[in-house]
Amino acid sequence: MYKTLYFYNASTKIYDHSELVDVSDKVPDKVTNESGEVLNVTTIRPDDGLYTPRKFDAENQTWLGTPKEEWLAAHPVPAPEPSEQDKTNAALMLQIAQNKTAQDQFNAQAMLAIAAQNGGTN
């Protein structure tokens, strides 16, 4: 059986990483990461839907995160740039639409001319 340990920075309380360990392993109070930062450890899983930075509130034994709206405002998704193929396709579609309009106008004028030659009768 395994359990997940959640590591967070001891000074900032910000989530660092998680590790899967054997259930019989002793949970350390603190460890040091590769950067030399002291990390605290908990077995309390952060709730789904928390946005970064996720911080551990040791007093209340819960994880806190940034509200979704605030996180999205700080991390806007840029509008995608159309590819050269998209631009070419758009230009061709515009040309086809303009040609169709011109053809429709020509057809209407031709039918009026034919109707006028026939004196408006069939």
Side-chain angles (χ1 to χ4, degrees):
M1 296 282 304
Y2 295 96
K3 62 183 169 186
T4 305
L5 301 181
Y6 301 92
F7 296 82
Y8 60 95
N9 186 291
S11 59
T12 63
K13 310 298 184 210
I14 294 176
Y15 173 85
D16 188 81
H17 71 282
S18 61
E19 293 179 14
L20 198 60
V21 298
D22 191 272
V23 74
S24 63
D25 288 352
K26 183 179 183 297
V27 177
D29 290 330
K30 295 180 186 214
V31 296
T32 304
N33 68 10
E34 294 172 358
S35 302
E37 300 170 315
V38 176
L39 302 177
N40 289 347
V41 184
T42 183
T43 57
I44 298 172
R45 180 182 180 273
D47 291 335
D48 290 336
L50 293 180
Y51 289 80
T52 56
R54 291 173 294 208
K55 296 183 178 185
F56 189 68
D57 179 353
E59 184 177 320
N60 294 311
Q61 294 291 293
T62 188
W63 287 93
L64 306 171
T66 304
K68 179 180 181 180
E69 295 75 22
E70 188 178 317
W71 188 90
L72 288 173
H75 300 86
V77 177
E81 284 291 320
S83 68
E84 288 304 313
Q85 184 65 49
D86 291 338
K87 291 176 185 177
T88 301
N89 290 347
L92 288 172
M93 286 187 274
L94 178 61
Q95 188 176 10
I96 290 168
Q98 291 169 338
N99 289 345
K100 175 149 179 25
T101 300
Q103 183 66 51
D104 289 346
Q105 290 173 347
F106 174 81
N107 291 348
Q109 290 173 353
M111 286 192 284
L112 286 174
I114 292 169
Q117 283 181 343
N118 293 337
T121 63
N122 289 339

